[in-house]
Amino acid sequence: FRGGAEFLFDGVKKHQVTLPCQPEPWDIRNLLKWIKQNLLKERPELFMQGESVRPGILVLINEADWELMGELDYKLQDQDNVLFISTLHGG
């Protein structure tokens, strides 16, 4: 988490997680639900909108824009690095 998004997660920038086993492969959609339930500490409206990240949150999967990877439908692979960068600035 970067760009201020880490403050919604107790200021922790990096989380190394092991996701629980489930019948279907994990995708970003399910990862976001898991993050909301297990890591997000405050103000979920600043991170999520519906089942996705809110506009202004850049998502990178292994340093590539998630729009190139299938966004919410991207199937996570072992050792994937998912980065959330807030481009929102108060004023």
Side-chain angles (χ1 to χ4, degrees), residues 30-81:
N30 289 325
L31 175 65
L32 287 171
K33 290 177 192 174
W34 187 89
I35 287 172
K36 184 177 180 183
Q37 293 172 351
N38 295 282
L39 298 178
L40 188 60
K41 300 299 183 190
E42 60 181 84
R43 305 205 50 196
E45 71 278 5
L46 293 180
F47 184 69
M48 296 194 63
Q49 184 173 17
E51 66 177 17
S52 188
V53 292
R54 73 178 272 142
I57 304 286
L58 175 65
V59 182
L60 301 177
I61 301 169
N62 301 321
E63 299 183 15
D65 191 321
W66 77 325
E67 292 178 359
L68 303 171
M69 310 291 282
E71 296 182 1
L72 293 171
D73 295 323
Y74 174 78
K75 303 289 187 226
L76 292 167
Q77 305 296 314
D78 191 34
Q79 302 298 313
D80 272 350
N81 183 33

Short mmCIF file of all heavy atoms in Angstrom, two decimals, residues 30-81:
data_model
loop_
_atom_site.label_atom_id
_atom_site.label_comp_id
_atom_site.label_asym_id
_atom_site.label_seq_id
_atom_site.Cartn_x
_atom_site.Cartn_y
_atom_site.Cartn_z
N ASN A 30 -12.04 -11.57 -5.18
CA ASN A 30 -12.07 -12.24 -3.88
C ASN A 30 -10.98 -11.73 -2.95
O ASN A 30 -11.17 -11.65 -1.74
CB ASN A 30 -11.96 -13.76 -4.05
CG ASN A 30 -13.22 -14.34 -4.65
OD1 ASN A 30 -14.32 -13.88 -4.37
ND2 ASN A 30 -13.06 -15.35 -5.48
N LEU A 31 -9.84 -11.37 -3.51
CA LEU A 31 -8.77 -10.80 -2.70
C LEU A 31 -9.22 -9.50 -2.04
O LEU A 31 -8.97 -9.27 -0.86
CB LEU A 31 -7.52 -10.53 -3.55
CG LEU A 31 -6.37 -9.81 -2.83
CD1 LEU A 31 -5.80 -10.67 -1.71
CD2 LEU A 31 -5.30 -9.40 -3.82
N LEU A 32 -9.92 -8.65 -2.79
CA LEU A 32 -10.39 -7.38 -2.22
C LEU A 32 -11.37 -7.62 -1.07
O LEU A 32 -11.32 -6.93 -0.05
CB LEU A 32 -11.03 -6.51 -3.30
CG LEU A 32 -10.05 -5.88 -4.27
CD1 LEU A 32 -10.79 -5.22 -5.43
CD2 LEU A 32 -9.14 -4.88 -3.57
N LYS A 33 -12.25 -8.61 -1.22
CA LYS A 33 -13.17 -8.94 -0.11
C LYS A 33 -12.37 -9.40 1.10
O LYS A 33 -12.67 -9.01 2.23
CB LYS A 33 -14.13 -10.05 -0.55
CG LYS A 33 -15.14 -9.64 -1.56
CD LYS A 33 -16.00 -10.83 -1.97
CE LYS A 33 -16.83 -10.51 -3.19
NZ LYS A 33 -17.56 -11.70 -3.68
N TRP A 34 -11.35 -10.24 0.86
CA TRP A 34 -10.53 -10.74 1.95
C TRP A 34 -9.77 -9.59 2.62
O TRP A 34 -9.70 -9.52 3.85
CB TRP A 34 -9.55 -11.79 1.43
CG TRP A 34 -8.79 -12.47 2.51
CD1 TRP A 34 -9.16 -13.59 3.19
CD2 TRP A 34 -7.54 -12.07 3.06
NE1 TRP A 34 -8.20 -13.91 4.12
CE2 TRP A 34 -7.19 -12.99 4.06
CE3 TRP A 34 -6.67 -11.01 2.79
CZ2 TRP A 34 -6.02 -12.88 4.80
CZ3 TRP A 34 -5.51 -10.90 3.53
CH2 TRP A 34 -5.19 -11.83 4.53
N ILE A 35 -9.22 -8.69 1.83
CA ILE A 35 -8.51 -7.53 2.38
C ILE A 35 -9.45 -6.69 3.25
O ILE A 35 -9.08 -6.28 4.35
CB ILE A 35 -7.90 -6.68 1.25
CG1 ILE A 35 -6.69 -7.39 0.64
CG2 ILE A 35 -7.52 -5.28 1.74
CD1 ILE A 35 -6.15 -6.73 -0.61
N LYS A 36 -10.65 -6.45 2.76
CA LYS A 36 -11.61 -5.64 3.52
C LYS A 36 -11.94 -6.30 4.86
O LYS A 36 -12.01 -5.63 5.89
CB LYS A 36 -12.89 -5.44 2.70
CG LYS A 36 -13.89 -4.54 3.37
CD LYS A 36 -15.10 -4.31 2.48
CE LYS A 36 -16.10 -3.39 3.17
NZ LYS A 36 -17.30 -3.20 2.35
N GLN A 37 -12.09 -7.61 4.87
CA GLN A 37 -12.45 -8.32 6.10
C GLN A 37 -11.27 -8.52 7.05
O GLN A 37 -11.46 -8.58 8.26
CB GLN A 37 -13.03 -9.69 5.76
CG GLN A 37 -14.35 -9.63 5.06
CD GLN A 37 -14.81 -10.98 4.55
OE1 GLN A 37 -14.07 -11.97 4.58
NE2 GLN A 37 -16.04 -11.04 4.05
N ASN A 38 -10.05 -8.62 6.51
CA ASN A 38 -8.92 -9.03 7.34
C ASN A 38 -7.82 -7.99 7.56
O ASN A 38 -7.08 -8.10 8.53
CB ASN A 38 -8.29 -10.29 6.74
CG ASN A 38 -9.22 -11.46 6.78
OD1 ASN A 38 -9.39 -12.08 7.82
ND2 ASN A 38 -9.86 -11.76 5.66
N LEU A 39 -7.69 -7.02 6.67
CA LEU A 39 -6.59 -6.06 6.79
C LEU A 39 -7.04 -4.62 6.97
O LEU A 39 -6.38 -3.86 7.67
CB LEU A 39 -5.68 -6.14 5.56
CG LEU A 39 -4.98 -7.47 5.28
CD1 LEU A 39 -4.16 -7.37 4.00
CD2 LEU A 39 -4.10 -7.87 6.45
N LEU A 40 -8.11 -4.24 6.34
CA LEU A 40 -8.57 -2.85 6.36
C LEU A 40 -9.03 -2.47 7.76
O LEU A 40 -9.85 -3.16 8.36
CB LEU A 40 -9.72 -2.67 5.36
CG LEU A 40 -10.22 -1.27 5.10
CD1 LEU A 40 -9.11 -0.37 4.55
CD2 LEU A 40 -11.37 -1.30 4.11
N LYS A 41 -8.45 -1.41 8.30
CA LYS A 41 -8.71 -1.04 9.69
C LYS A 41 -9.69 0.12 9.84
O LYS A 41 -10.34 0.24 10.86
CB LYS A 41 -7.40 -0.66 10.40
CG LYS A 41 -6.38 -1.78 10.42
CD LYS A 41 -6.89 -2.99 11.15
CE LYS A 41 -5.83 -4.06 11.20
NZ LYS A 41 -6.33 -5.33 11.69
N GLU A 42 -9.77 1.00 8.85
CA GLU A 42 -10.65 2.16 8.99
C GLU A 42 -11.06 2.69 7.63
O GLU A 42 -10.43 2.41 6.63
CB GLU A 42 -9.98 3.26 9.81
CG GLU A 42 -8.68 3.78 9.20
CD GLU A 42 -8.05 4.84 10.06
OE1 GLU A 42 -7.33 4.49 11.00
OE2 GLU A 42 -8.30 6.02 9.77
N ARG A 43 -12.15 3.42 7.61
CA ARG A 43 -12.67 4.16 6.46
C ARG A 43 -12.66 3.36 5.16
O ARG A 43 -12.01 3.71 4.18
CB ARG A 43 -11.91 5.46 6.30
CG ARG A 43 -11.97 6.25 7.62
CD ARG A 43 -11.82 7.68 7.56
NE ARG A 43 -12.64 8.35 6.59
CZ ARG A 43 -12.42 9.59 6.19
NH1 ARG A 43 -11.40 10.26 6.66
NH2 ARG A 43 -13.19 10.16 5.30
N PRO A 44 -13.40 2.25 5.13
CA PRO A 44 -13.42 1.41 3.93
C PRO A 44 -13.87 2.16 2.68
O PRO A 44 -13.47 1.82 1.57
CB PRO A 44 -14.39 0.28 4.28
CG PRO A 44 -15.16 0.76 5.45
CD PRO A 44 -14.29 1.74 6.17
N GLU A 45 -14.66 3.21 2.86
CA GLU A 45 -15.14 4.00 1.71
C GLU A 45 -14.01 4.72 0.99
O GLU A 45 -14.15 5.12 -0.17
CB GLU A 45 -16.22 5.00 2.14
CG GLU A 45 -15.73 6.17 2.97
CD GLU A 45 -15.55 5.89 4.46
OE1 GLU A 45 -15.74 4.74 4.90
OE2 GLU A 45 -15.25 6.85 5.19
N LEU A 46 -12.86 4.89 1.65
CA LEU A 46 -11.71 5.52 0.99
C LEU A 46 -10.88 4.52 0.18
O LEU A 46 -10.02 4.91 -0.60
CB LEU A 46 -10.80 6.20 2.02
CG LEU A 46 -11.40 7.40 2.74
CD1 LEU A 46 -10.40 7.98 3.73
CD2 LEU A 46 -11.86 8.46 1.75
N PHE A 47 -11.16 3.22 0.37
CA PHE A 47 -10.42 2.20 -0.36
C PHE A 47 -11.29 1.46 -1.37
O PHE A 47 -10.85 1.17 -2.48
CB PHE A 47 -9.80 1.21 0.62
CG PHE A 47 -8.94 0.17 -0.04
CD1 PHE A 47 -7.72 0.52 -0.62
CD2 PHE A 47 -9.34 -1.15 -0.09
CE1 PHE A 47 -6.93 -0.44 -1.25
CE2 PHE A 47 -8.56 -2.12 -0.71
CZ PHE A 47 -7.35 -1.76 -1.29
N MET A 48 -12.54 1.17 -0.98
CA MET A 48 -13.40 0.37 -1.84
C MET A 48 -14.66 1.11 -2.22
O MET A 48 -15.17 1.93 -1.47
CB MET A 48 -13.76 -0.95 -1.16
CG MET A 48 -12.53 -1.82 -0.93
SD MET A 48 -12.92 -3.52 -0.52
CE MET A 48 -13.75 -4.08 -1.98
N GLN A 49 -15.14 0.76 -3.42
CA GLN A 49 -16.43 1.25 -3.89
C GLN A 49 -17.13 0.05 -4.52
O GLN A 49 -16.66 -0.48 -5.54
CB GLN A 49 -16.25 2.37 -4.91
CG GLN A 49 -17.54 3.00 -5.37
CD GLN A 49 -17.27 4.20 -6.26
OE1 GLN A 49 -16.19 4.39 -6.77
NE2 GLN A 49 -18.28 5.01 -6.42
N GLY A 50 -18.19 -0.41 -3.90
CA GLY A 50 -18.82 -1.65 -4.34
C GLY A 50 -17.87 -2.81 -4.09
O GLY A 50 -17.32 -2.95 -3.02
N GLU A 51 -17.62 -3.62 -5.13
CA GLU A 51 -16.72 -4.76 -4.97
C GLU A 51 -15.33 -4.49 -5.51
O GLU A 51 -14.50 -5.38 -5.58
CB GLU A 51 -17.31 -6.01 -5.61
CG GLU A 51 -17.45 -5.95 -7.10
CD GLU A 51 -17.97 -7.25 -7.71
OE1 GLU A 51 -18.52 -8.08 -6.98
OE2 GLU A 51 -17.80 -7.41 -8.92
N SER A 52 -15.07 -3.25 -5.90
CA SER A 52 -13.77 -2.90 -6.48
C SER A 52 -13.11 -1.80 -5.65
O SER A 52 -13.68 -1.31 -4.68
CB SER A 52 -13.95 -2.44 -7.93
OG SER A 52 -12.69 -2.27 -8.56
N VAL A 53 -11.91 -1.43 -6.05
CA VAL A 53 -11.27 -0.28 -5.42
C VAL A 53 -11.95 0.98 -5.94
O VAL A 53 -12.49 0.99 -7.05
CB VAL A 53 -9.75 -0.23 -5.69
CG1 VAL A 53 -9.04 -1.37 -5.01
CG2 VAL A 53 -9.44 -0.20 -7.17
N ARG A 54 -11.92 2.02 -5.15
CA ARG A 54 -12.56 3.25 -5.60
C ARG A 54 -11.68 3.95 -6.63
O ARG A 54 -10.47 3.70 -6.68
CB ARG A 54 -12.90 4.15 -4.42
CG ARG A 54 -11.74 4.84 -3.77
CD ARG A 54 -12.18 5.75 -2.64
NE ARG A 54 -12.46 7.06 -3.17
CZ ARG A 54 -13.45 7.85 -2.77
NH1 ARG A 54 -14.24 7.49 -1.81
NH2 ARG A 54 -13.64 9.03 -3.31
N PRO A 55 -12.28 4.78 -7.46
CA PRO A 55 -11.47 5.54 -8.42
C PRO A 55 -10.39 6.33 -7.68
O PRO A 55 -10.63 6.85 -6.60
CB PRO A 55 -12.49 6.48 -9.07
CG PRO A 55 -13.81 5.79 -8.90
CD PRO A 55 -13.70 5.06 -7.59
N GLY A 56 -9.21 6.36 -8.25
CA GLY A 56 -8.10 7.04 -7.60
C GLY A 56 -7.14 6.08 -6.92
O GLY A 56 -6.12 6.49 -6.41
N ILE A 57 -7.47 4.80 -6.90
CA ILE A 57 -6.56 3.78 -6.37
C ILE A 57 -5.99 3.03 -7.58
O ILE A 57 -6.72 2.36 -8.31
CB ILE A 57 -7.26 2.78 -5.43
CG1 ILE A 57 -7.96 3.48 -4.27
CG2 ILE A 57 -6.28 1.73 -4.94
CD1 ILE A 57 -7.06 4.03 -3.21
N LEU A 58 -4.70 3.16 -7.78
CA LEU A 58 -4.01 2.46 -8.86
C LEU A 58 -3.64 1.07 -8.35
O LEU A 58 -3.10 0.94 -7.25
CB LEU A 58 -2.76 3.23 -9.26
CG LEU A 58 -1.84 2.61 -10.30
CD1 LEU A 58 -2.54 2.49 -11.63
CD2 LEU A 58 -0.58 3.44 -10.44
N VAL A 59 -3.93 0.05 -9.15
CA VAL A 59 -3.62 -1.33 -8.77
C VAL A 59 -2.59 -1.87 -9.75
O VAL A 59 -2.81 -1.85 -10.96
CB VAL A 59 -4.88 -2.22 -8.77
CG1 VAL A 59 -4.54 -3.63 -8.33
CG2 VAL A 59 -5.96 -1.63 -7.88
N LEU A 60 -1.48 -2.35 -9.20
CA LEU A 60 -0.44 -2.98 -10.01
C LEU A 60 -0.30 -4.43 -9.58
O LEU A 60 -0.26 -4.73 -8.39
CB LEU A 60 0.90 -2.27 -9.82
CG LEU A 60 0.94 -0.78 -10.17
CD1 LEU A 60 2.33 -0.22 -9.85
CD2 LEU A 60 0.61 -0.56 -11.62
N ILE A 61 -0.23 -5.32 -10.58
CA ILE A 61 0.01 -6.73 -10.33
C ILE A 61 1.35 -7.06 -10.95
O ILE A 61 1.52 -6.93 -12.16
CB ILE A 61 -1.10 -7.60 -10.95
CG1 ILE A 61 -2.47 -7.21 -10.38
CG2 ILE A 61 -0.81 -9.09 -10.71
CD1 ILE A 61 -3.65 -7.81 -11.11
N ASN A 62 2.31 -7.40 -10.10
CA ASN A 62 3.67 -7.67 -10.57
C ASN A 62 4.19 -6.51 -11.44
O ASN A 62 4.74 -6.71 -12.51
CB ASN A 62 3.75 -9.00 -11.31
CG ASN A 62 3.31 -10.16 -10.44
OD1 ASN A 62 3.62 -10.20 -9.25
ND2 ASN A 62 2.57 -11.08 -11.00
N GLU A 63 3.93 -5.30 -10.96
CA GLU A 63 4.40 -4.04 -11.56
C GLU A 63 3.71 -3.68 -12.87
O GLU A 63 4.12 -2.75 -13.56
CB GLU A 63 5.91 -4.05 -11.73
CG GLU A 63 6.64 -4.19 -10.41
CD GLU A 63 8.14 -4.12 -10.55
OE1 GLU A 63 8.64 -3.67 -11.60
OE2 GLU A 63 8.82 -4.50 -9.58
N ALA A 64 2.61 -4.37 -13.22
CA ALA A 64 1.84 -4.04 -14.42
C ALA A 64 0.45 -3.56 -14.00
O ALA A 64 -0.14 -4.07 -13.04
CB ALA A 64 1.72 -5.26 -15.33
N ASP A 65 -0.07 -2.59 -14.73
CA ASP A 65 -1.41 -2.06 -14.45
C ASP A 65 -2.43 -3.19 -14.54
O ASP A 65 -2.45 -3.95 -15.52
CB ASP A 65 -1.75 -0.97 -15.48
CG ASP A 65 -2.99 -0.18 -15.11
OD1 ASP A 65 -3.96 -0.77 -14.60
OD2 ASP A 65 -3.00 1.04 -15.36
N TRP A 66 -3.29 -3.29 -13.55
CA TRP A 66 -4.26 -4.38 -13.52
C TRP A 66 -5.22 -4.34 -14.69
O TRP A 66 -5.82 -5.35 -15.05
CB TRP A 66 -4.98 -4.43 -12.18
CG TRP A 66 -6.05 -3.41 -11.94
CD1 TRP A 66 -6.08 -2.12 -12.36
CD2 TRP A 66 -7.24 -3.61 -11.20
NE1 TRP A 66 -7.21 -1.49 -11.91
CE2 TRP A 66 -7.95 -2.40 -11.19
CE3 TRP A 66 -7.79 -4.68 -10.53
CZ2 TRP A 66 -9.16 -2.23 -10.55
CZ3 TRP A 66 -9.01 -4.52 -9.88
CH2 TRP A 66 -9.68 -3.31 -9.90
N GLU A 67 -5.38 -3.18 -15.33
CA GLU A 67 -6.25 -3.08 -16.50
C GLU A 67 -5.73 -3.97 -17.64
O GLU A 67 -6.51 -4.43 -18.47
CB GLU A 67 -6.38 -1.63 -16.96
CG GLU A 67 -7.15 -0.77 -15.98
CD GLU A 67 -7.24 0.69 -16.40
OE1 GLU A 67 -6.68 1.05 -17.45
OE2 GLU A 67 -7.88 1.45 -15.66
N LEU A 68 -4.43 -4.19 -17.68
CA LEU A 68 -3.84 -5.06 -18.69
C LEU A 68 -3.94 -6.53 -18.32
O LEU A 68 -3.68 -7.40 -19.15
CB LEU A 68 -2.36 -4.70 -18.90
CG LEU A 68 -2.07 -3.25 -19.29
CD1 LEU A 68 -0.58 -2.99 -19.26
CD2 LEU A 68 -2.66 -2.95 -20.66
N MET A 69 -4.30 -6.80 -17.07
CA MET A 69 -4.27 -8.16 -16.55
C MET A 69 -5.68 -8.77 -16.36
O MET A 69 -5.79 -9.91 -15.96
CB MET A 69 -3.55 -8.19 -15.19
CG MET A 69 -2.21 -7.48 -15.17
SD MET A 69 -0.96 -8.32 -16.10
CE MET A 69 -0.53 -9.61 -14.96
N GLY A 70 -6.71 -7.98 -16.60
CA GLY A 70 -8.08 -8.49 -16.43
C GLY A 70 -8.80 -7.93 -15.22
O GLY A 70 -9.88 -8.40 -14.89
N GLU A 71 -8.20 -6.96 -14.55
CA GLU A 71 -8.78 -6.30 -13.38
C GLU A 71 -9.30 -7.30 -12.36
O GLU A 71 -8.55 -8.14 -11.88
CB GLU A 71 -9.84 -5.29 -13.80
CG GLU A 71 -9.29 -4.16 -14.63
CD GLU A 71 -10.30 -3.12 -15.01
OE1 GLU A 71 -11.49 -3.23 -14.63
OE2 GLU A 71 -9.90 -2.17 -15.71
N LEU A 72 -10.58 -7.24 -12.00
CA LEU A 72 -11.14 -8.07 -10.93
C LEU A 72 -11.08 -9.56 -11.23
O LEU A 72 -11.08 -10.38 -10.32
CB LEU A 72 -12.60 -7.67 -10.66
CG LEU A 72 -12.82 -6.29 -10.06
CD1 LEU A 72 -14.30 -5.95 -10.05
CD2 LEU A 72 -12.23 -6.17 -8.68
N ASP A 73 -11.02 -9.92 -12.51
CA ASP A 73 -11.04 -11.33 -12.90
C ASP A 73 -9.66 -11.98 -12.95
O ASP A 73 -9.57 -13.18 -13.20
CB ASP A 73 -11.73 -11.49 -14.26
CG ASP A 73 -13.19 -11.08 -14.19
OD1 ASP A 73 -13.84 -11.35 -13.17
OD2 ASP A 73 -13.69 -10.47 -15.17
N TYR A 74 -8.61 -11.20 -12.72
CA TYR A 74 -7.25 -11.76 -12.76
C TYR A 74 -7.13 -12.87 -11.73
O TYR A 74 -7.42 -12.69 -10.55
CB TYR A 74 -6.20 -10.68 -12.51
CG TYR A 74 -4.81 -11.25 -12.39
CD1 TYR A 74 -4.09 -11.63 -13.51
CD2 TYR A 74 -4.22 -11.46 -11.14
CE1 TYR A 74 -2.82 -12.18 -13.40
CE2 TYR A 74 -2.95 -12.01 -11.02
CZ TYR A 74 -2.26 -12.36 -12.16
OH TYR A 74 -1.00 -12.92 -12.05
N LYS A 75 -6.67 -14.04 -12.16
CA LYS A 75 -6.46 -15.18 -11.26
C LYS A 75 -5.07 -15.07 -10.63
O LYS A 75 -4.06 -15.02 -11.33
CB LYS A 75 -6.55 -16.50 -12.02
CG LYS A 75 -7.85 -16.71 -12.75
CD LYS A 75 -8.99 -16.96 -11.81
CE LYS A 75 -10.24 -17.32 -12.61
NZ LYS A 75 -11.42 -16.63 -12.17
N LEU A 76 -5.06 -15.00 -9.33
CA LEU A 76 -3.80 -14.85 -8.60
C LEU A 76 -2.93 -16.10 -8.74
O LEU A 76 -3.43 -17.22 -8.74
CB LEU A 76 -4.06 -14.58 -7.12
CG LEU A 76 -4.69 -13.23 -6.81
CD1 LEU A 76 -5.19 -13.20 -5.38
CD2 LEU A 76 -3.70 -12.11 -7.06
N GLN A 77 -1.64 -15.86 -8.85
CA GLN A 77 -0.65 -16.92 -8.92
C GLN A 77 0.21 -16.85 -7.65
O GLN A 77 0.34 -15.80 -7.03
CB GLN A 77 0.25 -16.73 -10.16
CG GLN A 77 -0.50 -16.63 -11.47
CD GLN A 77 -1.24 -17.90 -11.80
OE1 GLN A 77 -0.70 -18.99 -11.70
NE2 GLN A 77 -2.50 -17.76 -12.19
N ASP A 78 0.84 -17.96 -7.31
CA ASP A 78 1.73 -18.00 -6.16
C ASP A 78 2.83 -16.95 -6.33
O ASP A 78 3.39 -16.81 -7.41
CB ASP A 78 2.33 -19.40 -6.03
CG ASP A 78 3.06 -19.59 -4.72
OD1 ASP A 78 2.63 -19.01 -3.69
OD2 ASP A 78 4.06 -20.31 -4.70
N GLN A 79 3.10 -16.20 -5.30
CA GLN A 79 4.14 -15.17 -5.26
C GLN A 79 3.79 -13.90 -6.03
O GLN A 79 4.68 -13.08 -6.27
CB GLN A 79 5.49 -15.72 -5.74
CG GLN A 79 6.00 -16.91 -4.95
CD GLN A 79 6.24 -16.59 -3.48
OE1 GLN A 79 6.86 -15.58 -3.16
NE2 GLN A 79 5.77 -17.44 -2.59
N ASP A 80 2.53 -13.70 -6.44
CA ASP A 80 2.14 -12.44 -7.08
C ASP A 80 2.35 -11.29 -6.10
O ASP A 80 2.17 -11.45 -4.89
CB ASP A 80 0.67 -12.46 -7.50
CG ASP A 80 0.44 -13.03 -8.88
OD1 ASP A 80 1.43 -13.25 -9.61
OD2 ASP A 80 -0.72 -13.26 -9.24
N ASN A 81 2.71 -10.16 -6.64
CA ASN A 81 2.85 -8.94 -5.86
C ASN A 81 1.76 -7.98 -6.33
O ASN A 81 1.74 -7.58 -7.49
CB ASN A 81 4.24 -8.32 -6.08
CG ASN A 81 4.45 -7.10 -5.24
OD1 ASN A 81 3.94 -6.99 -4.13
ND2 ASN A 81 5.19 -6.15 -5.77
#
